[in-house]
Amino acid sequence: MSDDFMLDTDDLQRRMDGAMGSLKTEFASLRTGRASASMLEPVMVDAYGSRTPVNQIGTVNVPEPRMVTLNVWDKALVGPAEKAIRESGLGINPQLNGTIIMLPIPELNEERRRDLTKVAGGYAENARVSVRNVRRDGMDQLKKAKNDGLSEDDHKIWSDEVQELTDKAIAAIDKALEVKQEEIMQV
């Protein structure tokens, strides 16, 4: 058994990269005082009996640096889309103009910037937890393999490799958080 064991580190790496990708998506949705179409990605609208991403019910545009617009394709969804944006926690007050929902991006005050850095920190912590869960899964596989006859030396080598993957992923998350917090605090 001990010579045959191969831990799928590519799978562990892919799952850790998935946590980082998810974090980047969450970071993109945070307002930094500049308009971005990705701000609306986490917003889900009750449309046609199911929860639908806002970018699937209309066209999201950024016509100017402090404005995002959503051109809703179906007039019946304008109200639900406006409600979803208002309740999304983005801190944006939608304005209707026919089927176009305009979202003016207000200037961030110091208190709101600090709140957003805390939200970013929460997103980063969730990503760290995801990476640690992947690490735990890898370690559980190693524990099982050890019980099945994996040698102590091989167990140590694989454990060190899993820990190295984890450390790299956590460092990348911390770096992304630092960059995002600087961007948020920039006036």
Side-chain angles (χ1 to χ4, degrees), residues 118-182:
K118 289 177 186 167
V119 170
Y123 288 161
E125 185 55 35
N126 290 342
R128 286 188 204 102
V129 168
S130 295
V131 167
R132 289 185 199 117
N133 287 340
V134 173
R135 177 190 177 278
R136 186 193 64 230
D137 292 348
M139 291 302 195
D140 288 348
Q141 290 176 30
L142 288 174
K143 191 182 291 183
K144 185 178 182 307
K146 186 176 179 186
N147 292 339
D148 290 344
L150 183 68
S151 71
E152 276 292 327
D153 290 343
D154 288 345
H155 183 269
K156 175 81 172 117
I157 289 168
W158 285 111
S159 295
D160 289 348
E161 188 160 339
V162 170
Q163 187 60 48
E164 184 180 326
L165 288 174
T166 304
D167 292 345
K168 283 181 184 174
I170 297 287
I173 290 168
D174 290 344
K175 179 68 176 155
L177 174 62
E178 185 180 313
V179 168
K180 188 63 178 181
Q181 286 180 332
E182 279 180 28

